[in-house]
């Protein structure tokens, strides 16, 4: 038998990758197993925010909101290339919460989360600005952060691998059982052994518990959230936090320079579909919501892309799915006696709290050495100050370094590379970038993604390592597939 790992992590989403990274930094030998691509499921289907969750205040989730708010600036500091501040405008409308409730909520939001660098909430005059209906005249604006969710997961896994973890993608777990004081894990045709196992399989966490003959919690909820993307509705860099007559909220976020991202829904119907998808009813719901607020009337043909993800939530007895807690629970199964190999299962959680969830998970497993190290360690490419990138016309310092190494690259491509890779781009940007595949994407960048970031297919490249799928033509997609040795249909 090969030397067993200290820890095997099942699930290559944000929580699994974060736990693997933290464990490596504490000196553990770690195996990370993912059945598909990194972030292929829920972790690439979020609203792409690092936020406290303003709406959770009315559900009295004060501890969760405070924890998430404390994390905003910590995460921004360690990954300023893929996480950056964004202002959110919250209009006052007759069918929404009264102004005094919004003001009180924002006052609390600014004070319970240790805000330092982000600007505070303030009142704002709208008077039809931001593409809104002219009768929407007043509102508030506040701070949160935006994140490239799939790249966050990849960078967590990359940092874990750089610290010694073995990362296996396209390696589904088919069987696992205790063998003496170890776990025996069959995955991808191989057999692995580990002293401890973390089940961070997201919506499939119950199936992994069943395979391990671990007791499955009775109260789990699978909730599907869907989003739509439409041509950009306004030129303002701020996002909108909008209230609907049925009490729900949704976001309209400037995205990928030319689009607006709208979402999300919360539905338990169809949450078992694999892969999940936005239904026509959800698309119509989000279009109607947008048309209520924006002057521009959107139709079904305006929707250029949709996506959906399933969140596994710990059932707290809430009736409506949007009211269910976004907090997490950590369930530890130690088998027949305290000497058996433990399995920790992660139930729930949100992207913003992935780092503190990882700390809590390792503490539950009794791993206490070097706790808290991730609070000050940058992710790959993030070793520069948060103001090293901005949206100004002048090239930021990181962009200047990229431009100096490859003067033939266009400014939009330089900006994209800096935003995606930070200083890591300097490892593959050079005078000769190889074959140009499309939209500023080159053979050198592809080699980086396949050699350093586990990309294997065109979908991995275009929809998770980047969002170039929004821009690539059919011919460019075919060229990428050919470069990957993937069948072109």
């Amino acid at each position: 038998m090969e030397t067993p790992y200290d820890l095997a992590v099942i699930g290559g989403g944000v929580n699994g990758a974060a736990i693997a990274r933290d464990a490596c930094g504490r000196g553990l030998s770690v195996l990370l197993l993912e059945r598909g691509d990194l972030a292929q499921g829920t972790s690439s289907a979020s609203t792409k925010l690092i936020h406290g969750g303003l709406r959770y205040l009315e559900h009295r989730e004060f501890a969760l909101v405070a924890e998430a708010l404390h994390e905003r600036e910590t995460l921004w500091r360690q990954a300023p290339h893929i996480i950056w501040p964004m202002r959110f405008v919250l209009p006052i409308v007759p069918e929404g919460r009264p102004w005094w409730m919004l003001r009180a909520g924002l006052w609390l939001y600014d004070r319970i989360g240790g805000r330092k660098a982000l600007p505070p909430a303030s009142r704002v005059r709208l008077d039809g600005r931001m593409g809104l209906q002219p009768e929407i005249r007043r509102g508030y604006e506040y701070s949160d952060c935006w994140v490239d969710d799939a790249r966050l997961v990849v960078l967590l896994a990359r940092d874990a691998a750089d610290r010694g973890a073995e990362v296996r993608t396209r390696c589904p777990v088919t069987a696992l059982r205790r063998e003496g004081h170890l776990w025996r894990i069959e995955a991808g045709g191989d057999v692995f052994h580990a002293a401890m196992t973390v089940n961070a399989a997201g919506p499939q966490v119950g199936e992994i518990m069943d395979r391990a003959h671990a007791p499955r919690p009775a109260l789990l909820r699978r909730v599907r959230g869907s989003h739509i993307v439409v041509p950009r509705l306004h030129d303002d860099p701020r996002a909108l936090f909008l209230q609907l007559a049925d009490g729900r909220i949704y976001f309209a976020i400037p995205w990928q320079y030319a689009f607006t991202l709208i979402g999300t829904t919360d539905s338990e119907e169809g949450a078992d579909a694999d892969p999940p998808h936005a239904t026509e009813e959800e698309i119509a719901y989000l279009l109607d919501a947008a048309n209520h607020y924006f002057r521009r009337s959107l139709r079904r043909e305006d929707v250029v892309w949709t996506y959906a993800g399933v969140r596994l939530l710990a059932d707290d007895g809430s009736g409506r799915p949007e009211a269910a807690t976004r907090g997490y629970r950590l369930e530890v199964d130690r088998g027949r006696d305290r000497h058996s190999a433990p399995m920790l299962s992660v139930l729930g959680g949100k992207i913003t709290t992935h780092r503190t969830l990882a700390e809590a998970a390792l503490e539950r497993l009794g791993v206490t050495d070097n706790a808290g190290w991730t609070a000050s360690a940058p992710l790959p490419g993030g070793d520069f100050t948060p103001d090293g990138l901005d949206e100004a016309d002048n090239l930021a310092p990181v962009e200047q370094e990229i431009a100096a190494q490859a003067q033939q690259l266009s400014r939009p491509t330089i900006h994209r590379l800096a935003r995606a890779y930070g200083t890591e781009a300097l490892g593959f940007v050079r005078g000769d970038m190889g074959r140009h595949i499309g939209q500023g994407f080159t053979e050198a960048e592809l080699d980086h993604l396949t050699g350093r970031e586990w990309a294997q297919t065109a979908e991995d490249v275009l929809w998770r390592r980047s969002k170039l799928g929004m821009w690539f033509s059919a011919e460019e997609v075919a060229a990428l597939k050919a470069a990957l040795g993937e069948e072109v249909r």
Side-chain angles (χ1 to χ4, degrees):
M1 185 178 69
E2 86 291 344
T3 302
Y5 295 91
D6 295 322
L7 178 67
V9 180
I10 301 171
V14 69
N15 291 329
I19 292 169
R21 177 199 186 216
D22 196 344
C24 287
R26 300 182 191 220
L28 274 63
S29 58
V30 176
L31 170 69
L32 176 61
L33 298 170
E34 164 54 43
R35 68 172 185 160
D37 183 29
L38 295 170
Q40 186 167 328
T42 306
S43 293
S44 62
S46 75
T47 312
K48 311 187 189 309
L49 301 178
I50 296 293
H51 67 142
L54 181 61
R55 68 187 177 99
Y56 304 146
L57 289 177
E58 63 183 355
H59 300 305
R60 298 180 175 85
E61 295 262 18
F62 301 117
L64 172 63
V65 173
E67 177 185 0
L69 288 173
H70 275 281
E71 283 297 288
R72 286 182 310 183
E73 295 188 18
T74 298
L75 299 178
W76 173 28
R77 285 193 302 271
Q78 62 186 213
H81 48 324
I82 61 166
I83 298 172
W84 60 86
M86 182 174 280
R87 293 290 276 178
F88 289 77
V89 172
L90 173 53
I92 299 170
V93 292
E95 63 272 24
R97 286 78 170 167
W99 69 267
W100 58 265
M101 182 182 292
L102 301 179
R103 183 174 181 179
L106 289 169
W107 181 90
L108 185 61
Y109 202 70
D110 268 347
R111 284 161 177 79
I112 65 173
R115 180 187 57 80
K116 295 178 181 177
L118 294 172
S122 61
R123 287 184 290 184
V124 62
R125 294 287 299 184
L126 295 171
D127 295 326
R129 297 184 181 92
M130 300 182 70
L132 296 170
Q133 300 286 0
E135 60 269 22
I136 300 175
R137 306 183 65 83
R138 297 181 301 130
Y140 296 94
E141 67 173 62
Y142 67 96
S143 294
D144 266 323
C145 290
W146 186 94
V147 62
D148 187 328
D149 50 7
R151 288 211 57 76
L152 172 64
V153 177
V154 170
L155 295 183
L156 289 167
R158 179 69 265 159
D159 199 42
D162 289 345
R163 297 174 188 274
E166 181 172 357
V167 178
R168 296 281 193 102
T169 62
R170 268 87 180 185
C171 193
V173 172
T174 53
L176 67 163
R177 67 175 185 270
R178 290 182 174 92
E179 251 183 21
H181 301 312
L182 297 174
W183 281 101
R184 183 182 193 275
I185 305 169
E186 298 177 23
D190 291 320
V191 176
F192 308 94
H193 291 82
M196 301 178 288
T197 296
V198 166
N199 173 13
Q204 286 75 44
V205 71
E207 287 87 333
I208 296 297
M209 296 173 95
D210 291 343
R211 288 196 182 101
H213 303 289
R216 184 198 279 224
L219 300 177
L220 295 176
R221 301 178 76 168
R222 293 163 64 97
V223 176
R224 188 185 72 248
S226 297
H227 297 77
I228 62 174
V229 175
V230 300
R232 191 151 179 173
L233 293 171
H234 60 80
D235 293 329
D236 197 290
R238 294 172 294 179
L240 284 155
F241 179 109
L242 303 171
Q243 307 172 78
L244 301 179
D246 61 5
R248 298 195 70 259
I249 63 93
Y250 74 102
F251 293 96
I253 302 171
W255 188 71
Q256 294 292 309
Y257 311 108
F259 305 101
T260 295
L261 172 64
I262 298 174
T264 180
T265 60
D266 288 286
S267 174
E268 291 175 289
E269 295 181 8
D272 293 328
D274 189 15
H277 62 276
T279 67
E280 288 300 320
E281 290 78 13
E282 289 175 309
I283 294 170
Y285 176 85
L286 291 172
L287 289 173
D288 288 344
N291 288 335
H292 178 74
Y293 273 92
F294 291 100
R295 289 196 301 272
R296 178 179 173 182
S297 180
L298 294 171
R299 297 173 295 177
R300 179 62 178 87
E301 52 265 35
D302 293 315
V303 177
V304 296
W305 188 48
T306 70
Y307 66 90
V310 174
R311 299 181 290 270
L312 184 76
L313 304 179
D315 195 342
D316 58 356
S318 304
R320 301 173 68 181
E322 63 266 25
T325 181
R326 266 52 175 179
Y328 55 83
R329 282 168 44 199
L330 304 174
E331 299 280 343
V332 179
D333 172 50
R334 299 189 180 275
R336 296 179 179 178
D337 59 69
R338 62 188 180 88
H339 299 294
S340 297
M343 169 182 277
L344 180 143
S345 295
V346 178
L347 312 178
K350 57 199 296 274
I351 282 181
T352 307
T353 55
H354 70 269
R355 194 191 66 82
T356 51
L357 182 151
E359 290 183 342
L362 292 172
E363 182 179 350
R364 287 290 304 275
L365 290 171
V367 182
T368 57
D369 291 347
N370 202 25
W373 72 270
T374 57
S376 57
L379 287 172
D383 50 343
F384 59 91
T385 59
D387 59 356
L389 283 173
D390 56 41
E391 301 293 337
D393 290 335
N394 296 324
L395 291 177
V398 174
E399 294 173 309
Q400 291 174 9
E401 293 184 64
I402 294 172
Q405 289 191 192
Q407 298 181 8
Q408 78 277 17
L409 296 178
S410 68
R411 178 167 289 196
T413 296
I414 291 170
H415 185 71
R416 180 183 65 79
L417 293 175
R419 276 294 186 202
Y421 306 103
T423 57
E424 285 272 289
L426 301 174
F428 66 86
V429 167
R430 53 185 181 268
D432 179 11
M433 299 283 287
R435 186 159 57 94
H436 179 91
I437 298 173
Q439 306 299 321
F441 186 82
T442 64
E443 193 173 19
E445 185 176 356
L446 179 61
D447 290 345
H448 174 82
L449 293 180
T450 55
R452 292 277 295 168
E453 295 195 0
W454 301 278
Q456 295 183 29
T457 70
E459 182 180 333
D460 298 347
V461 171
L462 296 177
W463 295 107
R464 285 182 286 277
R465 304 308 182 279
S466 73
K467 290 297 182 288
L468 287 172
M470 297 296 300
W471 304 99
F472 261 46
S473 67
E475 292 76 16
E476 289 167 336
V477 172
L480 175 59
K481 287 184 174 182
L484 288 163
E486 195 176 349
E487 182 180 356
V488 180
R489 297 180 181 177

